[in-house]
Amino acid sequence: MGETGGNDDDGKTSANMLRNTPSNIRRLADEIQQCEGRQKYLAQTKSPSDGGDVRWYFRKVAMEKNEVAANVPRAETVEKSDYFRFGMRDSLAIEASFLQQEDELLSIWWKELAECSEGPKGSPASVSKSDPLLQPFSLETSRSIKPDDEDRVGVPVKGGLYEVDLVKRHCFPVYWDGDNRRVLRGHWFARKGGLDWLPIREDVSEQLEFAYRGRIWRRRTFQPSGLFAARVDMQGSSPGLHALFTGEDDTWEAWLNVDASGFSSIVKLGGIGIKLRRGYAPSRSPKPTQDELRQQKEEDMDDYCSQVPVGHVVFMVHGIGQRLEKANLVDDVGIFRHVTSSLAEQHLTPYQRGTQRVLFIPCQWRKNLKLSGESAVEKCTLPGVRGLRVTLSATVHDVLYYMSPIYCQDIIDSVSIQLNKLYLKFIKRNPGYDGKVSLYGHSLGSVLSYDILCHQETLTSPFPMEWIYKDQIKYESCTPNDMQSSSSCHVSSNSGGQDFNTIISSAKKGITRVQSESSLPEMRVEESNLSETRNHKKHGSLPLIEQVAVGSDHGEALASGSNRIDEENCHNDENNTIKSLREEIDILNARIKDLEKVSKGSSSCKNDTLKSYTPLIKYTKLEFEVDTFYAVGSPLGVFLALRNVRIGIGQGKDYWNNENVHEEMPSCRQMFNIFHPFDPVAYRVEPLVCKDYVNSRPVIIPYHKGGKRLHIGFQEFVEDVASSSQVVMDRMSSVKGKVLALCQVKDGDVVGVESPEEPEVVERSYGSIMMEKLTGSEDGRIDHVLQDKTFQHQYISAVGAHTNYWRDLDTALFILKHLYRDVPEEPKAPDGDTKNEVKQGTGEYWHGWYNNNEEGTDDDLPLTFSNTKFVKKFTRRAKSFIGP
């Protein structure tokens, strides 16, 4: 091995060398070229069939559970549509890691193949348990990384979203639970009747490589077919499969063939065989297919991601509907990722794209979350319209679960834990990351993200919907079953100024005395009934009953019971005496329980608190600071309105004229609320921040093709012309007043000279300050609305509006431009000014984010309407005509 491992004598790199950092990525190509193990794979002859380029592939279809790589593919060569190539730089990274542990990996691969091979009679090979060398192969025993899939770190590929485990020959997703895909090292290739060279399975490729290094063609003999060639039988493959080498050193050629008595899935009987070559060769097809174009574009994108460091991470939190069969957040985020990458090529400068890239990571908080109420709901579901009920259960029920104090904690924990888990995974693979982190919340996910951001300083909060039960708590929590609500929270005035604790303690002492009295031996009762009566009076049972029963409805009953006891004692009826005493004990115990209830109720009313009733929600501290929070298609507005919550810092009760209003502020630098005008789930947020924006229209998100759609532009054009006309009329009225004043001065009238008025300083409202705190600028806005299509009915748009954000071009471009807002369009000039600033200063070439002359690529009607220049020109000419 070469010196790619630093100071290690064996030449192996440490685990840090495989991390997805820009410095490591740049070293890969140089390391491979300098690696000694790479030299033996270079071309050693001048034959056209010889080459040294190795490419790695991944399988399109996912592997089955517990399926080993030795069983895939089953054929010696792969089909064109079954495997896709990794990008050039990803292949370099995988190959560099392979060369650093080549001997160990090949040993593991061959041992795995031996276990999967069939015996002489076609049955699975038997393994002797007594021989330790023949024990079943365990990947964990030979792996240099941990066996836990959560902790394994492989070679980063495809922008760091996937990694390759070379021991298992798996490509697995890093940030979500997904299927493993088989990876294949392409060193020997075959051409099956077409123009493309397809990779051969590793075991066959290694045998061909061994024959190549031994220059097997020098030992040519006449074959039964009459061909003068060297034959190499393939072990562990189809019966009769062999390779034929012909020619000289600089003209050698090879074919893969099968005997007439054998069978192979790649060679037809009677065929001449399949042409082989060593090393990768590009396709020679004059007209590439759509799959080839798509693969080439994906390779280019992977190469771009491997060279540009991550500067912004966006965690995308889903909303309702992820339990549906066809719902898949990973696919939705993948679509959004492809849309943004395509738009970045069109709307970002090469300098911006080369400075940083954005990594979109899905947060699947609902996938592994099991709620105890789901099984009960399933049992209660009616059989009618089963499909509709299942859809509602998988969508709307998530909102109900979150509004329940029983399951709210589980949902909050699931989102918080998943976010921290994803961030720690990213930091583990990108040490020293100093970029930004943002949150994208869709539907219910925006409400969950918002609640988590609002409780980063105070990690404990009452259940968000406790206000619903506030009125009922005042009555239910402090009212005994037998008391009136008007007197439930106060101590009766007949208690003589004593509190409940004194009454209860006295009652308990009386019970103890009565119990001790009632437990006297019968012999003592028989000896002296009169003494019993005196002892009973001495202990004061009657005064005790009167003291406990003050202000209660039971006083008369207790007094009459006591009188009966005296009468019975006078008649020497010891049995009735004991029975009456025990009845008193029961009455006193029941009365004490009532008094304790009243005591608890009065305490809760005096404190006026809901702590004993309202459950507390514990929030988890995030491991990162959030730069921007994107609420997309969000019902956050209605959630906050139902909670009687406003967005603020807790000083706006006078501003909102409501003493019961609650305020909270999310822990983020900036917040956006993006919605479609016909999305039935989305609501505005700005009216809950500042009252001045109740009648203000949301900011229109620009059309990705430039300008505004036809009907939107025309509507704004009419409104702008009307407002401009009003300005002109106001100006003309002002000029008319000045002319009349001048005429009066010429007539000799004395006109008082008006002192110039100082401009009034308008004090900013509390709501406008909160808007600035949430947006980062004084004139910033939160609510941003998409443009509906020109020729589409509102109700038709509403059907798919809530789920279309993932693939909406306008939404993707708006977020993309904001993520790159701090990156200049061009590098700074020597004088410190950027070219972009020069364009903005002149105002001649710069037109904001969008190029109105750009041609679109989608199927939407390119109807746009630009009126800004016309309105400005109209206003400017009117002002010049009227004069200053």
Side-chain angles (χ1 to χ4, degrees), residues 316 318-322 324 326-329 331-333 335-336 339 391 394-395 440-444 632-635 674-682 786 796-809 811:
M316 314 193 80
H318 66 79
I320 62 176
Q322 285 301 306
L324 293 174
K326 295 183 179 180
N328 192 332
L329 178 65
D331 293 341
D332 292 336
V333 176
I335 293 173
F336 189 85
V339 170
T391 303
T395 54
Y440 174 107
H442 175 250
S443 187
L444 179 62
V632 182
S634 172
I674 303 172
F675 55 89
H676 191 278
F678 306 137
D679 183 357
V681 180
L786 297 169
I796 297 177
S797 300
V799 173
H802 188 65
T803 58
N804 196 49
Y805 296 104
W806 303 105
R807 55 186 58 86
D808 184 74
L809 299 178
T811 304

Side-chain angles (χ1 to χ4, degrees), residues 489-694:
C489 297
H490 303 278
V491 181
S492 175
S493 59
N494 297 329
S495 62
Q498 298 182 3
D499 58 4
F500 288 110
N501 294 329
T502 303
I503 297 175
I504 293 173
S505 61
S506 301
K508 289 183 177 180
K509 291 179 180 178
I511 291 176
T512 304
R513 294 172 181 175
V514 175
Q515 287 177 341
S516 62
E517 184 66 26
S518 63
S519 61
L520 293 174
E522 293 181 354
M523 186 179 295
R524 182 177 177 182
V525 175
E526 294 175 355
E527 290 177 355
S528 180
N529 293 331
L530 182 61
S531 177
E532 177 68 21
T533 303
R534 283 203 239 19
N535 288 335
H536 173 65
K537 293 182 178 180
K538 181 179 179 179
H539 287 295
S541 59
L542 287 177
L544 176 62
I545 294 175
E546 292 176 357
Q547 181 182 11
V548 174
V550 169
S552 69
D553 297 336
H554 301 283
E556 297 179 1
L558 294 175
S560 61
S562 177
N563 293 332
R564 287 196 302 271
I565 295 175
D566 292 336
E567 294 175 1
E568 291 170 357
N569 286 334
C570 295
H571 292 85
N572 298 325
D573 191 354
E574 62 275 9
N575 294 329
N576 293 334
T577 302
I578 295 174
K579 183 177 179 181
S580 298
L581 290 173
R582 290 177 178 175
E583 290 176 354
E584 286 187 30
I585 293 174
D586 296 337
I587 294 174
L588 290 173
N589 285 328
R591 188 59 189 157
I592 287 175
K593 292 182 180 179
D594 292 341
L595 292 173
E596 289 176 347
K597 290 181 181 180
V598 174
S599 177
K600 293 182 180 179
S602 62
S603 176
S604 63
C605 290
K606 289 178 182 179
N607 296 332
D608 194 21
T609 179
L610 306 179
K611 293 182 179 180
S612 62
Y613 185 91
T614 305
L616 294 179
I617 304 300
K618 297 181 180 180
Y619 293 85
T620 303
K621 181 74 174 177
L622 296 180
E623 299 290 340
F624 53 90
E625 295 183 357
V626 177
D627 179 77
T628 306
F629 170 46
Y630 301 96
V632 182
S634 172
L636 178 61
V638 71
F639 270 80
L640 297 182
L642 292 177
R643 298 173 184 174
N644 198 23
V645 170
R646 303 294 182 266
I647 301 180
I649 57 176
Q651 302 177 5
K653 292 186 177 180
D654 294 337
Y655 175 76
W656 296 105
N657 296 325
N658 189 345
E659 291 294 332
N660 296 324
V661 73
H662 301 279
E663 292 187 60
E664 54 190 16
M665 179 66 66
S667 299
C668 60
R669 191 189 64 83
Q670 197 168 7
M671 175 179 174
F672 289 104
N673 182 35
I674 303 172
F675 55 89
H676 191 278
F678 306 137
D679 183 357
V681 180
Y683 288 82
R684 292 192 62 188
V685 172
E686 287 178 345
L688 301 178
V689 182
C690 181
K691 294 186 293 186
D692 300 337
Y693 289 90
V694 173

Side-chain angles (χ1 to χ4, degrees), residues 312 314 348 352 356 358 436 438 627-630 669-672 674 774-776 781 784 810-823 849-850:
H312 208 129
V314 181
L348 298 181
Q352 289 178 314
Q356 71 170 27
V358 182
K436 299 177 181 179
S438 295
D627 179 77
T628 306
F629 170 46
Y630 301 96
R669 191 189 64 83
Q670 197 168 7
M671 175 179 174
F672 289 104
I674 303 172
L774 275 174
T775 60
R781 298 289 299 274
H784 291 73
D810 296 348
T811 304
L813 184 58
F814 176 80
I815 295 177
L816 182 68
K817 282 293 185 177
H818 186 265
L819 293 174
Y820 279 86
R821 66 191 181 279
D822 297 331
V823 181
W849 288 354
Y850 302 93

Side-chain angles (χ1 to χ4, degrees), residues 99-124:
L99 294 176
Q100 292 158 8
Q101 45 186 338
E102 179 182 5
D103 295 338
E104 178 184 359
L105 290 175
L106 291 179
S107 175
I108 295 174
W109 293 358
W110 278 107
K111 190 172 183 179
E112 181 182 310
L113 179 66
E115 288 189 349
C116 298
S117 299
E118 297 181 351
K121 296 182 180 181
S123 59

